[in-house]
Amino acid sequence: MANHSLGELYASAQELEEAQPQQAISKLRDVLLGEQANDAESIKVKEQALQSLANLYAKQHDASSLRKLLTDLRPLFALIPKAKTAKIVRTVIDTIAKVPDSTSVQLEVCKEQVQWAQSEKRTFLRQRIEVRLATLYLETRDYTAAISLIGKLLTEVKRLDDKLLLVDIHLLESRVHTALRNSPKAKAALTAARTAANAIYIPPALQAEIDTQSGTLHAEEKDYKTAYSYFFEAFEQFNALDDPKAVLSLKYMLLCKIMLSSAEEVPGMISSKAGLKHAGIEVDAMRTIAKAYQDRSLQGFQEALKEHEEQLVKDPVVHTHLSALYDTLLEQNLIRLIEPFSCVQIQHLAELISLPLETVLNKLAQMILDKKFAGTLDQGAGCLDVFEEPPADEIYLAALETFSNMGHVVDTLFNRSQKIMA
């Protein structure tokens, strides 16, 4: 009878979700926190009520109520199986993540739940919340805390031999070291994740994460062809799962094409069936960059970066490579402009390329030091003097070749003398 009334209470709450959300919240809290029986059927109803309540709070962007809900549910956690508890806690934390600008609340919630799980000796739950906490440290760029927590987790999990959790931790470790620009450690952590993954079955979503990280590391090494193939694998798996991360994989695929000087292929990829499915601001940002690169337009490049700052500048993977691409584009444009001159005013170059004088001056100085062209800056006159490339002096190469041949002759004579003496 109690189960029947509990089900009815949940059904009436569902009816009110759209029209009267506050009343629905009140009824759902009664379902969860009321003094009803906790048999299997009741637990099932309570789980559904929890999901509905969490979604209602998320719709209202009420992260603090979700945080309080976890504390309120602790008496219930003492009565239900530990596996169910772990599932409920992770569900609520995932729901908090859907609330915009809730990173600080997520950090606090994870720390609170770690302390509670520790006091209740719930190791399985604590370790998984700590992985989530380390991920949040990475997002907030607290790399020291992330590495410290990951190190502690690795020691524990290796002892327990939990392969699936080990894959997650090593993958997270690789992402932290990538953010710190420590490629050797990032590659070592990714190799460890792959080794652990080979011993078990891993979900397609996790395999796609591994492929994405592999693509990121290959892109860091300027191996854009291999990076593209990894991003493509990740995209196919995310796309099959209808995971929103598919659009990021597509974005990185387009980035690789631009970095391989194949920007003309970008529109075709975007207009394909898979591309159209993920059409949106992320893909539009890459289309704009591809167009600017094809036109060799620095102004178009800068406008794209300003217009799509969130998608291009704030994405660390894209920003790193676009900075290098912009420098290359700027150098190519400057070399093309100064080619007809032996002496040219720097102000004139700045006007031709539509960039501030200071930016052009600094770039020219860097290019001269990098020996991209022979010249000198006359800052007094505000001019750039360009020199003819001096012809290569072949006498040094000829001398080195002569010494090499003489060494070979002496070695041959020495070997012959050794045979005669024998």
Side-chain angles (χ1 to χ4, degrees):
M1 184 68 184
N3 291 346
H4 182 62
S5 61
L6 197 66
E8 284 178 351
L9 189 61
Y10 173 55
S12 65
Q14 277 188 306
E15 288 169 10
L16 295 169
E17 277 182 18
E18 292 297 326
Q20 296 171 301
Q22 288 306 322
Q23 284 190 28
I25 286 171
S26 176
K27 287 196 174 190
L28 288 167
R29 285 184 68 85
D30 287 343
V31 172
L32 283 168
L33 307 172
E35 294 183 5
Q36 293 94 351
N38 286 305
D39 53 58
E41 281 300 314
S42 298
I43 295 295
K44 192 175 178 183
V45 173
K46 286 185 178 186
E47 267 191 75
Q48 293 170 336
L50 173 67
Q51 190 63 62
S52 299
L53 181 58
N55 288 337
L56 275 173
Y57 280 140
K59 275 183 189 175
Q60 295 178 351
H61 296 175
D62 193 351
S64 57
S65 292
L66 282 164
R67 177 182 178 178
K68 186 174 179 295
L69 179 63
L70 275 175
T71 310
D72 294 341
L73 286 170
R74 283 178 186 175
L76 176 66
F77 293 158
L79 303 170
I80 62 174
K82 288 185 177 182
K84 283 274 189 224
T85 303
K87 185 184 174 186
I88 290 169
V89 171
R90 288 159 71 188
T91 300
V92 175
I93 293 172
D94 286 343
T95 310
I96 295 172
K98 294 175 186 175
V99 178
D101 304 317
S102 63
T103 308
S104 58
V105 178
Q106 287 180 67
L107 278 166
E108 292 303 317
V109 168
C110 286
K111 286 174 185 174
E112 285 172 9
Q113 294 307 311
V114 164
Q115 286 176 353
W116 175 75
Q118 213 157 10
S119 66
E120 294 287 315
K121 294 186 172 58
R122 299 186 182 222
T123 308
F124 176 87
L125 176 59
R126 176 182 58 78
Q127 287 170 344
R128 275 147 187 81
I129 298 172
E130 281 182 333
V131 171
R132 183 58 174 268
L133 183 59
T135 308
L136 289 167
Y137 283 143
L138 171 61
E139 288 173 12
T140 53
R141 301 186 180 185
D142 189 352
Y143 302 124
T144 309
I147 288 172
S148 171
L149 185 54
I150 287 167
K152 182 173 82 71
L153 275 169
L154 281 173
T155 308
E156 286 183 29
V157 177
K158 279 178 183 173
R159 204 180 301 127
L160 294 170
D161 201 31
D162 185 341
K163 296 285 187 192
L164 191 58
L165 187 57
L166 204 57
V167 173
D168 280 329
I169 297 167
H170 279 306
L171 186 57
L172 181 57
E173 183 188 14
S174 180
R175 287 168 58 203
V176 173
H177 286 303
T178 303
L180 289 168
R181 318 287 292 169
N182 190 339
S183 289
K185 284 192 175 181
K187 282 194 278 188
L190 183 63
T191 304
R194 283 185 177 283
T195 305
N198 286 339
I200 54 164
Y201 168 78
I202 59 168
L206 184 55
Q207 183 59 55
E209 293 278 6
I210 293 171
D211 288 335
T212 301
Q213 182 60 15
S214 300
T216 304
L217 290 177
H218 278 286
E220 285 288 323
E221 294 175 344
K222 313 293 182 197
D223 183 2
Y224 296 110
K225 200 170 182 181
T226 308
Y228 176 86
S229 64
Y230 275 116
F231 288 135
F232 181 72
E233 289 290 330
F235 172 72
E236 284 203 317
Q237 290 177 81
F238 282 137
N239 193 37
L241 296 166
D242 287 325
D243 193 309
K245 289 177 185 172
V247 72
L248 281 179
S249 298
L250 177 60
K251 179 174 152 186
Y252 298 151
M253 284 162 61
L254 298 174
L255 173 69
C256 290
K257 282 295 178 188
I258 295 167
M259 297 306 292
L260 286 165
S261 300
S262 302
E264 67 281 356
E265 293 180 30
V266 168
M269 288 172 66
I270 292 170
S271 59
S272 67
K273 186 181 175 183
L276 288 170
K277 182 182 174 183
H278 300 284
I281 195 162
E282 300 278 0
V283 174
D284 289 343
M286 297 314 296
R287 182 194 279 118
T288 314
I289 287 291
K291 179 76 169 63
Y293 182 74
Q294 270 187 292
D295 297 343
R296 294 284 188 268
S297 168
L298 286 168
Q299 199 172 351
F301 205 97
Q302 284 185 319
E303 284 172 5
L305 292 177
K306 281 180 187 173
E307 188 184 343
H308 301 285
E309 185 180 354
E310 189 69 35
Q311 292 74 38
L312 301 175
V313 179
K314 292 187 180 177
D315 185 325
V317 177
V318 175
H319 181 59
T320 304
H321 300 292
L322 289 188
S323 298
L325 188 67
Y326 179 77
D327 280 345
T328 306
L329 204 54
L330 179 55
E331 285 177 10
Q332 287 173 355
N333 275 270
L334 282 171
I335 288 169
R336 181 170 53 81
L337 288 172
I338 64 177
E339 203 170 6
F341 302 104
S342 58
C343 180
V344 59
Q345 283 189 327
I346 300 167
Q347 181 65 48
H348 179 60
L349 283 177
E351 287 168 7
L352 286 174
I353 208 164
S354 304
L355 286 174
L357 177 65
E358 195 65 29
T359 305
V360 174
L361 190 63
N362 290 338
K363 191 64 190 174
L364 287 170
Q366 186 190 333
M367 289 169 71
I368 291 167
L369 289 170
D370 291 343
K371 297 186 178 177
K372 297 287 171 73
F373 69 91
T376 185
L377 290 167
D378 185 348
Q379 287 183 305
C383 292
L384 169 70
D385 295 318
V386 185
F387 308 139
E388 289 290 329
E389 286 286 340
D393 195 341
E394 293 179 9
I395 191 164
Y396 296 111
L397 292 172
L400 286 169
E401 193 178 347
T402 304
F403 288 134
S404 175
N405 289 336
M406 285 176 67
H408 181 65
V409 168
V410 170
D411 288 342
T412 307
L413 288 171
F414 176 75
N415 289 334
R416 284 186 180 182
S417 66
Q418 289 290 96
K419 285 178 183 176
I420 292 167
M421 293 292 289

